[in-house]
Amino acid sequence: MQDPLQSVYDTVVRRNPGEVEFHQAVKEVFDSLGPVLDRNPQYASHAILERMCEPERQVIFRVPWVDDKGRVQINRGFRVEYNSALGPFKGGLRFHPSVYLGIVKFLGFEQVFKNSLTGMPIGGGKGGSDFDPRGRSDGEIMRFCQSFMTELYRHIGEYTDVPAGDIGVGGREIGYLFGQYKRITNRYEAGVLTGKGLTWGGSLVRTEATGYGTVLFANRMMETKGTSFDGKKVTVSGGGNVAIYAIEKAQQLGAVCHAFSDSSGYVHDPEGVDLNLLKEVKEVERGRAADYASRRPNAKLVTDGSVWDIPTDVALPCATQNELNGDQAATLVKNGVTVVAEGANMPTTPEGIEVFKKAGIAYAPGKAANAGGVATSALEMQQNASRDSWDFDYTEKRLASIMADIHDNCVETAEEYGLPGDYVAGANIAGFVRVADAMIALGVV
């Protein structure tokens, strides 16, 4: 990292103590920006780096709610409105016990660049709570969401900040949140949240978009090398929405997805994942990997290893941050992986990324490869604004076009700055430049 960048980074660490994921996200971007500052000294003179590392607004609030036994519970809520140079803040809400300010800031910082790469007029933000929806009844989740929105509503709006879902926040939670927003404001402002149900303002393909987009990006990477998903063995970490639809799209393209995971372990299904069974277990029953394995004769549940131990051609980490470390990356390389595309936010540790780069593996960071979700959220916002509804095929074509443009932009930017084939540098630089130029145009705000 060059001296000017190091100085700003040191200040970020000092001013944000203990927020290790945020530090990691900033460093990962800064490591790519040396050539940009050499070519564009105006970014330093306008203090773009310093301003980009400081959120425009950070909101922390108490979320009181009553459980099914009549006991009052207290959680903490967050919304970090990070950067609105390109448009209203846009980014998901995460409900998980691991959520704290540093997690939300790392996610918001990543979201700024991801949203920039889509080419859509959306800024970056993120939010959530340390509430754990697992094991809670629908009534408890409704009461929590209503309490959460009772505070959040005053900070959001279709022209201000547009939340969506993330880990722990799916269609059910978005419904409860939107219902409370409508109740408090007396407005049917469909564009205030994305990921809505299809009968009340949602968009076709939004459910599938992040997983589909990751696979479409990876397929574009393979096409540059004269190959495709056809016949490839694919490993997907995670058992949530992103993983399920990454498996679906990869199988549509001819791959054999032979492994997936969740927090209870991983399943190896050599014949290929039974997608209908997986959807029934995960989406209908809200079950675990063990439930899938118990109903699939040749599938094996492993609870004491890593899903990355299985030899595979393509790895799609779609679970959570820092899930794929250096040793696991080395195992994947040893076992013949050729493509790694991230469906989650920052799932590969810096050590893992370095292993992939040294081995010449085609590696795509999440801010590029998993941008399909937020891109389709922006398409949902377009439909809401025009009181329109697009069919599945048209929306999927829009998604495919956006993912192809992101891929090509990353490739062209990396080549422009003398780093051919480096998707990390291409994504970081392309995302940064668009936001930085907009910030200069808008003045010191």
Side-chain angles (χ1 to χ4, degrees):
M1 190 185 299
Q2 293 182 358
D3 286 344
L5 289 157
Q6 186 67 55
S7 176
V8 176
Y9 176 72
D10 290 343
T11 300
V12 168
V13 173
R14 176 178 56 81
R15 296 184 68 187
N16 302 274
E19 298 175 0
V20 293
E21 297 87 359
F22 178 52
H23 304 162
Q24 179 183 337
V26 172
K27 185 177 187 303
E28 191 264 349
V29 172
F30 277 23
D31 282 341
S32 300
L33 296 183
V36 182
L37 296 188
D38 290 341
R39 191 178 297 186
N40 301 278
Q42 70 272 21
Y43 296 150
S45 62
H46 284 84
I48 293 298
L49 293 171
E50 293 87 342
R51 291 158 60 191
M52 202 175 283
C53 290
E54 190 67 28
E56 293 182 28
R57 188 174 298 107
Q58 303 176 64
V59 183
I60 304 176
F61 52 95
R62 182 178 63 197
V63 188
W65 58 282
V66 179
D67 67 19
D68 286 343
K69 295 181 179 179
R71 297 175 300 197
V72 176
Q73 303 286 339
I74 304 295
N75 286 98
R76 182 173 289 175
F78 303 88
R79 189 67 182 173
V80 173
E81 296 176 332
Y82 215 103
N83 189 297
S84 61
L86 297 177
F89 305 105
K90 183 82 192 77
L93 298 170
R94 176 176 294 192
F95 292 169
H96 191 272
S98 66
V99 170
Y100 77 108
L101 184 59
I103 288 283
V104 180
K105 284 167 69 175
F106 124 65
L107 292 168
F109 184 78
E110 287 277 294
Q111 198 78 41
V112 172
F113 301 95
K114 181 189 304 186
N115 293 3
S116 171
L117 285 168
T118 69
M120 311 291 276
I122 45 177
K126 209 74 176 184
S129 173
D130 57 2
F131 171 75
D132 188 356
R134 287 187 303 177
R136 294 294 182 181
S137 70
D138 285 353
E140 289 175 321
I141 290 171
M142 180 186 71
R143 290 191 291 277
F144 171 81
C145 289
Q146 289 174 338
S147 181
F148 185 89
M149 183 55 79
T150 298
E151 173 61 33
L152 184 67
Y153 88 95
R154 69 192 77 231
H155 306 292
I156 64 176
E158 63 179 319
Y159 301 113
T160 305
D161 184 355
V162 183
D166 194 86
I167 294 172
V169 179
R172 172 183 56 178
E173 290 76 17
I174 293 293
Y176 294 148
L177 291 165
F178 183 74
Q180 185 72 352
Y181 182 86
K182 183 173 74 72
R183 179 185 187 188
I184 292 171
T185 64
N186 194 32
R187 295 195 303 270
Y188 204 105
E189 189 181 327
V192 72
L193 288 166
T194 58
K196 300 182 295 296
L198 295 177
T199 58
W200 45 281
S203 172
L204 288 164
V205 189
R206 179 61 191 91
T207 301
E208 299 86 353
T210 307
Y212 274 25
T214 300
V215 171
L216 291 169
F217 192 99
N219 196 55
R220 191 82 166 184
M221 295 168 75
M222 287 189 275
E223 286 175 348
T224 66
K225 298 181 179 297
T227 184
S228 71
F229 269 96
D230 191 31
K232 296 290 192 302
K233 290 184 177 180
V234 177
T235 296
V236 180
S237 69
N241 206 45
V242 180
I244 291 169
Y245 290 98
I247 292 170
E248 179 169 280
K249 178 53 68 175
Q251 289 185 343
Q252 289 176 5
L253 296 176
V256 177
C257 294
H258 61 156
F260 71 91
S261 65
D262 62 20
S263 58
S264 66
Y266 73 86
V267 171
H268 183 209
D269 194 341
E271 297 177 359
V273 170
D274 182 331
L275 192 61
N276 290 331
L277 175 59
L278 180 61
K279 287 182 177 181
E280 182 178 348
V281 168
K282 288 290 185 178
E283 298 181 339
V284 179
E285 302 170 7
R286 301 185 186 276
R288 311 296 290 154
D291 300 311
Y292 174 94
S294 69
R295 287 146 66 178
R296 183 81 166 151
N298 295 325
K300 179 183 178 183
L301 175 69
V302 181
T303 58
D304 59 353
S306 166
V307 72
W308 310 120
D309 294 337
I310 302 170
T312 197
D313 299 310
V314 180
L316 305 176
C318 296
T320 191
Q321 67 272 2
N322 291 326
E323 58 166 295
L324 201 172
N325 62 33
D327 291 339
Q328 293 162 340
T331 298
L332 281 168
V333 171
K334 179 182 176 182
N335 287 335
V337 75
T338 58
V339 175
V340 179
E342 296 183 338
N345 294 302
M346 205 171 72
T348 309
T349 66
E351 296 78 13
I353 295 171
E354 189 63 23
V355 168
F356 292 140
K357 283 188 172 184
K358 285 185 176 179
I361 304 302
Y363 163 76
K367 63 173 63 70
N370 74 24
V374 73
T376 307
S377 282
L379 298 180
E380 181 177 331
M381 292 165 67
Q382 285 188 18
Q383 293 170 78
N384 293 156
S386 62
R387 301 293 193 270
D388 200 358
S389 181
W390 305 338
D391 65 29
F392 192 99
D393 289 343
Y394 176 76
T395 311
E396 187 176 10
K397 286 178 182 176
R398 291 287 304 270
L399 170 63
S401 176
I402 291 168
M403 297 311 298
D405 288 345
I406 294 172
H407 173 275
D408 296 349
N409 191 11
C410 291
V411 170
E412 292 164 7
T413 301
E415 290 179 351
E416 178 186 349
Y417 283 86
L419 299 163
D422 190 335
Y423 284 94
V424 175
N428 287 336
I429 295 171
F432 172 83
V433 167
R434 184 168 181 248
V435 177
D437 289 346
M439 292 175 70
I440 291 173
L442 297 178
V444 180
V445 294

